C-alpha cells in the first residue's frame, strides 16, 4: 500500500467509519485491530439506529438526526463500494403507548417532529389496528410510528465497511506499523487506556446482553418499549436486546438476564413466542463520561485523535462523527460540537 497517512486503532463502528471516510477522500488508511473486524460491541446482534424523542432539542439530538438522515445514502454507498451488505434498512420503529400521560406526550411530540425533523421523517400516533400483528401489546390501543429509525446488522456492517476500505486501497489488518496521523477508536479497552493516560475516569464500559431468534420479517419495522428492542434483520433473523450492566465479572458471558429479556419480549410481542432461539450474545459498549461520543484531538499528543464513547448510539452517530473527525484530521476544519469534544469528558 505504501506509507499510511492515517493509522486507526480499532475495527469497530467508529474506527472503520473513520477509515472509510478518509479512504473515500483519497487518504491512505491502515486500520489495526489484533482481534479482527467487529470483535467488540460493534459486532453485536441488535443494530437499532433509533432517534432521541423530538422535544427539548439540543446539539446532540440535532447531530444524531443529521447522522440518521445521512445514513440513508451512506450505507448504500458503503455497500456499493465494497460489495458487502450491511443489513441497513430505513424501516422505522413502532412503540407501545402505555397510559394516558404517555399518549399526551406522544401527541405533543408528533407536532414537534413536524418542525424538528424538517419534513424528512415522521413521528405519528397510530392505532394498534393500523399496525397489525407485528406490534407490541399496547394498554391504550395506541402506538407511536416513526420513519426516522433504521436498522443494520452490526457485525455485517463492520464487514461492509472493512470491504469498502480495502476496495478503496486501504488496509484492515491485525498488526502493522503506526504511520501518519493516528486515530484511537478501540472502544471499551480504549477508554480504559484513556483513563490511565489522563489519570481520571473519562469513560467506562457498560455490558449488554442480547438474543438472536429464527424469525424472518425482513421488511418489518423495529419495535421498542420498556428498554426492550426487537429488530427484524434482512437475513431472516430477529434480535432482542438489551441489558445495561455497569458492574460485571465476565464481559462476554450471558446469564439469567437473557432469560428475563426473552420472557419480557415474548410477553410484549406475541409473534415471538414460537420463534426458535439461535444464539445469545454479550459485549461491553464504550460509554464516555459526557454520555456523548468523544471526538477530537488528543490533548498534549500532537497528531493523535480520539473517536470513542458511542455507547448505544454508536452506529447511528458514526457516519457524521466520522465526517467531522476526518475534516479535522485531513483538513484542519474543526466542526466538532462542544459536547462531543474530548475535553467534555475530562
Amino acid at each position: 500500500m505504501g506509507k499510511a497517512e492515517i493509522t486507526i486503532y480499532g475495527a469497530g463502528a467508529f474506527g472503520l467509519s473513520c477509515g472509510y471516510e478518509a479512504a473515500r477522500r483519497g487518504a491512505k488508511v491502515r486500520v489495526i485491530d489484533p482481534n479482527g473486524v467487529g470483535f467488540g460491541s460493534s459486532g453485536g446482534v441488535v443494530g437499532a439506529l433509533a432517534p432521541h424523542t423530538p422535544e427539548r432539542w439540543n446539539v446532540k439530538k440535532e447531530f444524531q438526526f443529521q447522522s440518521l438522515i445521512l445514513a440513508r445514502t451512506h450505507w448504500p454507498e458503503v455497500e456499493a463500494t465494497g460489495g458487502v451488505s450491511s443489513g441497513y434498512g430505513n424501516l422505522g420503529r413502532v412503540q407501545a403507548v402505555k397510559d394516558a400521560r404517555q399518549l399526551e406526550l406522544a401527541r405533543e411530540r408528533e407536532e414537534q417532529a413536524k418542525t424538528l425533523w424538517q419534513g424528512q421523517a415522521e413521528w405519528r400516533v397510530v392505532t394498534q389496528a393500523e399496525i397489525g400483528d407485528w406490534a407490541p401489546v399496547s394498554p391504550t390501543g395506541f402506538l407511536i410510528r416513526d420513519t426516522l429509525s433504521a436498522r443494520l446488522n452490526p457485525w455485517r456492517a463492520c464487514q461492509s465497511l472493512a470491504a469498502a476500505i480495502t476496495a478503496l486501497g486501504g488496509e484492515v489488518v491485525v498488526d502493522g506499523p503506526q504511520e501518519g496521523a493516528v486515530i484511537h477508536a478501540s472502544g471499551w479497552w480504549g477508554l480504559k487506556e484513556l483513563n490511565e493516560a489522563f489519570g481520571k475516569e473519562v469513560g467506562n464500559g457498560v455490558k449488554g446482553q442480547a438474543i438472536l431468534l429464527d424469525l424472518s420479517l425482513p421488511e418489518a419495522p423495529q419495535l421498542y418499549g420498556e428498554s426492550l428492542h426487537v429488530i427484524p434483520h434482512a437475513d431472516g433473523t430477529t434480535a432482542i436486546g438489551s441489558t445495561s450492566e455497569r458492574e460485571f465479572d465476565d464481559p462476554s458471558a450471558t446469564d439469567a438476564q437473557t432469560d428475563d429479556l426473552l420472557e419480557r419480549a415474548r410477553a410484549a410481542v406475541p409473534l415471538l413466542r414460537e420463534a426458535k432461539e439461535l444464539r445469545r450474545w454479550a459485549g461491553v459498549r464504550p460509554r464516555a463520561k459526557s454520555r456523548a461520543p468523544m471526538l477530537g484531538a488528543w490533548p498534549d499528543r500532537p497528531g493523535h485523535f480520539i473517536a470513542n464513547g458511542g455507547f448505544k448510539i454508536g452506529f447511528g452517530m458514526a457516519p457524521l462523527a466520522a465526517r467531522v473527525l476526518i475534516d479535522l484530521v485531513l483538513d484542519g476544519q474543526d466542526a466538532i460540537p462542544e459536547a462531543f469534544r474530548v475535553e467534555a469528558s475530562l
Side-chain angles (χ1 to χ4, degrees):
M1 184 185 77
K3 192 171 184 179
E5 296 171 5
I6 299 179
T7 301
I8 300 170
Y9 290 106
F14 274 13
L16 290 168
S17 294
C18 289
Y20 170 73
E21 181 62 27
R24 80 178 188 90
R25 299 191 195 186
K28 293 182 178 180
V29 172
R30 178 177 293 128
V31 180
I32 301 173
D33 195 316
N35 297 303
V37 174
F39 172 78
S41 61
S42 294
V45 300
V46 180
L49 311 186
H52 292 288
T53 53
E55 63 180 351
R56 296 192 295 274
W57 212 236
N58 57 33
V59 170
K60 182 179 179 181
K61 290 187 176 185
E62 175 66 19
F63 191 97
Q64 187 203 37
F65 169 76
Q66 295 296 342
S67 193
L68 290 173
I69 295 299
L70 176 61
R72 294 172 175 175
T73 55
H74 170 81
W75 288 107
E77 288 172 359
V78 171
E79 293 173 352
T81 301
V84 175
S85 172
S86 67
Y88 176 80
N90 182 204
L91 300 171
R93 176 179 61 171
V94 175
Q95 305 175 63
V97 179
K98 66 180 182 180
D99 55 36
R101 175 55 182 156
Q102 197 175 82
L103 180 58
E104 181 183 359
L105 283 172
R107 294 196 186 282
E108 291 174 1
R109 291 165 180 165
E110 181 176 24
E111 291 304 310
Q112 291 184 70
K114 293 176 182 177
T115 300
L116 297 173
W117 287 1
Q118 304 166 28
Q120 299 186 76
E122 293 181 332
W123 170 292
R124 294 191 302 115
V125 176
V126 299
T127 65
Q128 192 138 18
E130 289 179 73
I131 299 299
D133 292 339
W134 181 245
V137 175
S138 177
T140 62
F142 289 97
L143 301 142
I144 299 161
R145 177 77 164 95
D146 84 72
T147 60
L148 183 55
S149 296
R151 62 104 209 272
L152 51 67
N153 183 309
W155 187 84
R156 291 181 186 274
C158 288
Q159 304 303 315
S160 185
L161 285 164
I165 291 169
T166 302
L168 291 168
E171 289 184 337
V172 182
V173 295
V174 296
D175 194 15
Q178 182 183 115
E179 297 173 324
V182 180
I183 297 175
H184 300 265
S186 45
W188 173 50
W189 300 277
L191 286 179
K192 293 170 69 175
E193 292 172 356
L194 291 173
N195 290 341
E196 294 178 8
F198 293 125
K200 63 174 70 175
E201 185 172 286
V202 300
N204 51 46
V206 179
K207 182 178 176 180
Q209 300 183 45
I211 301 172
L212 196 64
L213 300 178
D214 184 13
L215 179 64
S216 182
L217 293 164
E219 299 302 317
Q222 61 185 272
L223 309 180
Y224 175 75
E226 302 298 326
S227 300
L228 183 73
H229 295 272
V230 181
I231 315 293
H233 284 300
D235 64 0
T237 63
T238 295
I240 300 169
S242 62
T243 63
S244 289
E245 305 163 44
R246 298 293 295 273
E247 297 182 4
F248 50 87
D249 295 320
D250 188 338
S252 60
T254 58
D255 53 36
Q257 293 185 73
T258 50
D259 295 328
D260 176 66
L261 198 65
L262 185 58
E263 183 179 343
R264 290 192 293 116
R266 286 176 168 167
V269 186
L271 279 180
L272 298 175
R273 292 171 187 170
E274 302 303 319
K276 178 184 176 182
E277 184 177 323
L278 295 174
R279 70 183 181 99
R280 298 186 174 196
W281 175 90
V284 182
R285 299 158 296 189
R287 179 184 180 275
K289 183 179 178 181
S290 67
R291 300 180 64 89
M294 185 189 297
L295 304 171
W298 185 316
D300 302 320
R301 222 170 149 180
H304 288 248
F305 302 84
I306 295 169
N308 209 322
F311 192 33
K312 295 181 179 180
I313 55 176
F315 271 109
M317 292 282 205
L320 189 54
R323 287 201 176 184
V324 297
L325 185 62
I326 297 304
D327 280 343
L328 177 62
V329 175
L330 290 182
D331 304 322
Q333 298 178 10
D334 190 350
I336 298 171
E338 290 294 331
F340 291 14
R341 292 181 179 278
V342 175
E343 292 79 5
S345 293
L346 296 182

